[in-house]
């Protein structure tokens, strides 16, 4: 069992007054793929480095498989790491790069050869084993770094933005490869990224971080569909969630002077911030009860779908329509907000309202 328990972890760097990690607690199950996601400076790498033993916490604790590792030196933690920079040794051939951790652990040569062959096969590096890293593409080099990390049978795999040096196309193909490989291994994994699509695609769970704290921890669809606050809704998704200010009334929600149906169980009355995803808004040519008038400002064909930017009262929203839509810029449209897709947030705190 290599579950990870992080208990009330606080990290204040020497000379700083800010908490880079502020009272972080989480349980990562054995075999789980946990993604730490958030904007630059929110404390993702700091948390990963404390699990790795490269930084010590100011207070709090970390246990792996029931063993307290908070203050253990790096080499006693049985972890593997893959970092942003490929971190492969340029003067060693691919096979010796992959074998590095195994040699350090003084495994018999036959076992090393067997494991290197296994990892090379898994990562499709077989034809390149005798090359030097300079003779590889960026994606192949990154695969070497991953191969080196997975051969050592570590309890936990830690990855810090491992795909960020790859171009967009390679990133996409390597992302699914990585998911397949880590899924096969079943190793408990903690993965840092600021790329929300990477987080949604890879994570069994995603911890969305902001200013040293966890804003929300949940499954990818849970954080996409039910963001805990407007920060999470605005960070997750491409485009991010739309927000519109309105007023809850007994007859529904008033938005820009038009009444739309409230979601089931919506509370009382008063100011409210509505969140709705671009793909949930429905475009109609004609006005009707429950629709909000809007003007199309921009039409962006994206291939699989088309993205509209539309003006609604004082706000702008993004609306996803089918690629074959004939809507043009300047056109007046009427937006339907299906009540079940509407999320309500407190306009003061930004926190979601739990519907009864
Ligand atoms: P990025 O995505 O840019 O890598 P991050 O979310 O990983 O960001 P961290 O690197 O964990 O963020 O940094 C969290 C906070 O701690 C930041 O305010 C950063 O400036 C600060 N910090 C990080 N490392 C140190 C350090 N060695 N000394 C002092 N402050 C640091």
């Amino acid at each position: 069992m290599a579950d990870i328990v992080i208990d009330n972890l606080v990290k204040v760097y020497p000379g700083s007054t800010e908490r880079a990690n502020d009272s972080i607690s989480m349980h990562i199950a054995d075999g789980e793929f946990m993604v730490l996601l958030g904007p630059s400076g929110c404390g993702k790498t700091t948390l990963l480095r404390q699990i790795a033993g490269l930084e010590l916490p100011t207070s709090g604790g970390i246990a792996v498989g029931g063993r307290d590792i908070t203050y253990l030196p790096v080499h006693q933690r049985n972890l593997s790491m893959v970092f942003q920079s490929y971190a492969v040794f340029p003067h060693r051939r691919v096979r010796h790069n992959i074998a590095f951790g195994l040699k350090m652990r003084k495994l018999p040569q036959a076992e090393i050869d067997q494991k290197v062959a296994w990892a090379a096969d898994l990562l499709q590096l077989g034809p390149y084993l005798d090359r030097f890293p300079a003779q590889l593409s960026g994606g192949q080099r990154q695969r070497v770094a991953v191969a080196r990390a997975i051969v050592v049978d570590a309890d936990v795999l830690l990855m810090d933005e491992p795909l960020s040096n790859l171009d967009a196309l390679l990133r996409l193909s390597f992302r699914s490869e990585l998911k397949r490989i880590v899924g096969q291994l079943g190793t408990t994994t903690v993965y840092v990224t600021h790329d929300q699509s990477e987080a949604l695609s890879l994570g069994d769970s995603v911890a969305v971080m902001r200013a040293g704290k966890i804003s929300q921890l949940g499954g990818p669809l849970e954080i996409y569909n039910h963001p805990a606050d407007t920060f999470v809704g605005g960070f997750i998704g491409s485009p991010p969630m739309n927000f519109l200010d309105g007023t809850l009334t007994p007859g529904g929600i008033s938005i820009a002077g038009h009444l739309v149906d409230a979601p089931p169980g919506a509370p009382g009355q008063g100011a409210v911030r509505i969140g709705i995803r671009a793909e949930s808004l429905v475009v109609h040519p004609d006005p009707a009860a429950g629709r909000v008038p809007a003007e199309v400002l921009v039409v962006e064909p994206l291939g699989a779908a088309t993205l509209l930017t539309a003006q609604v009262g004082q706000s702008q929203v993004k609306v996803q329509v089918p690629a074959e839509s004939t809507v043009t810029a300047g056109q007046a449209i009427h937006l339907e907000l299906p009540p079940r897709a509407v999320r309500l947030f407190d306009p003061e705190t930004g926190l979601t309202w739990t519907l009864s």
Side-chain angles (χ1 to χ4, degrees):
M1 272 290 281
D3 64 328
I4 306 175
V5 177
I6 297 173
D7 181 24
N8 208 11
L9 208 68
V10 174
K11 175 66 181 180
V12 180
Y13 284 105
S16 170
T17 53
E18 282 176 13
R19 291 181 166 202
N21 282 163
D22 190 356
S23 312
I24 292 201
S25 295
M26 66 169 82
H27 177 240
I28 306 169
D30 185 38
E32 188 173 357
F33 196 122
M34 169 68 73
V35 177
L36 307 178
L37 171 72
S40 184
C42 71
K44 311 177 291 290
T45 297
T46 299
L47 180 53
L48 197 77
R49 288 174 63 83
Q50 289 171 98
I51 301 172
L54 300 169
E55 293 285 348
L56 294 181
T58 307
S59 62
I62 305 169
V64 173
R67 181 171 70 130
D68 183 352
I69 61 157
T70 316
Y71 298 105
L72 276 189
V74 181
H75 66 273
Q76 289 180 18
R77 295 186 181 214
N78 197 26
L79 310 163
S80 262
M81 295 177 235
V82 183
F83 288 112
Q84 185 171 359
S85 50
Y86 309 124
V88 289
F89 302 115
H91 55 283
R92 287 174 204 254
R93 293 181 195 277
V94 167
R95 71 169 69 252
H96 299 129
N97 260 289
I98 299 175
F100 181 76
L102 303 172
K103 281 215 185 305
M104 296 287 283
R105 285 165 202 234
K106 302 197 181 350
L107 261 63
Q109 191 59 43
E111 197 176 334
I112 293 179
D113 291 344
Q114 187 199 351
K115 282 179 182 284
V116 169
W118 166 78
D121 188 40
L122 201 60
L123 285 141
Q124 289 150 26
L125 286 167
Y128 312 109
L129 282 172
D130 289 312
R131 292 201 191 172
F132 288 99
Q135 298 167 310
L136 300 176
S137 73
Q140 290 162 344
R141 267 203 292 273
Q142 192 58 288
R143 292 214 284 270
V144 175
V146 172
R148 197 177 59 187
I150 63 171
V151 283
V152 291
D153 289 334
D155 291 334
V156 173
L157 192 54
L158 303 177
M159 296 196 238
D160 193 350
E161 308 247 12
L163 309 186
S164 60
N165 284 343
L166 307 181
D167 71 46
L169 211 58
L170 210 52
R171 234 182 133 113
L172 216 55
S173 66
F174 198 58
R175 186 172 87 186
S176 46
E177 263 183 70
L178 194 65
K179 183 163 181 161
R180 177 180 61 84
I181 290 161
V182 175
Q184 275 180 22
L185 288 174
T187 310
T188 312
T189 301
V190 188
Y191 184 102
V192 162
T193 182
H194 63 267
D195 179 333
Q196 56 86 30
S197 61
E198 209 167 284
L200 295 181
S201 113
L202 289 172
D204 296 319
S205 297
V206 179
V208 186
M209 295 181 65
R210 180 192 195 185
K213 291 183 193 284
I214 294 175
S215 288
Q216 186 172 8
L217 197 164
L221 289 183
E222 185 186 344
I223 60 166
Y224 184 82
N225 289 322
H226 295 279
D229 57 26
T230 49
F231 167 75
V232 175
F235 195 78
I236 304 285
S238 176
M241 184 172 252
N242 294 304
F243 296 106
L244 288 166
D245 283 328
T247 311
L248 267 172
T249 73
I253 309 169
S254 171
I255 301 169
H258 295 263
L259 212 55
V260 302
D261 288 341
Q269 302 188 23
V272 67
R273 185 155 296 151
I274 290 153
I276 187 159
R277 294 277 177 200
E279 67 272 22
S280 300
L281 286 162
V282 184
V283 174
H284 297 278
D286 303 311
R291 295 180 188 167
V292 183
E295 185 194 348
V296 177
L297 301 176
V298 184
V299 178
E300 294 174 79
L302 302 176
T306 291
L307 193 64
L308 311 178
T309 305
Q311 186 80 34
V312 178
Q314 301 299 310
S315 311
Q316 289 186 2
V317 292
K318 301 283 188 193
V319 187
Q320 185 180 305
V321 292
E324 56 274 14
S325 162
T326 54
V327 173
T328 53
Q331 189 177 329
I333 54 170
H334 299 269
L335 294 174
E336 178 191 340
L337 290 73
R340 290 203 174 273
V342 169
R343 305 286 170 256
L344 302 181
F345 299 93
D346 184 320
E348 299 295 324
T349 61
L351 295 174
T352 187
W353 281 350
T354 311
L355 303 182
S356 54

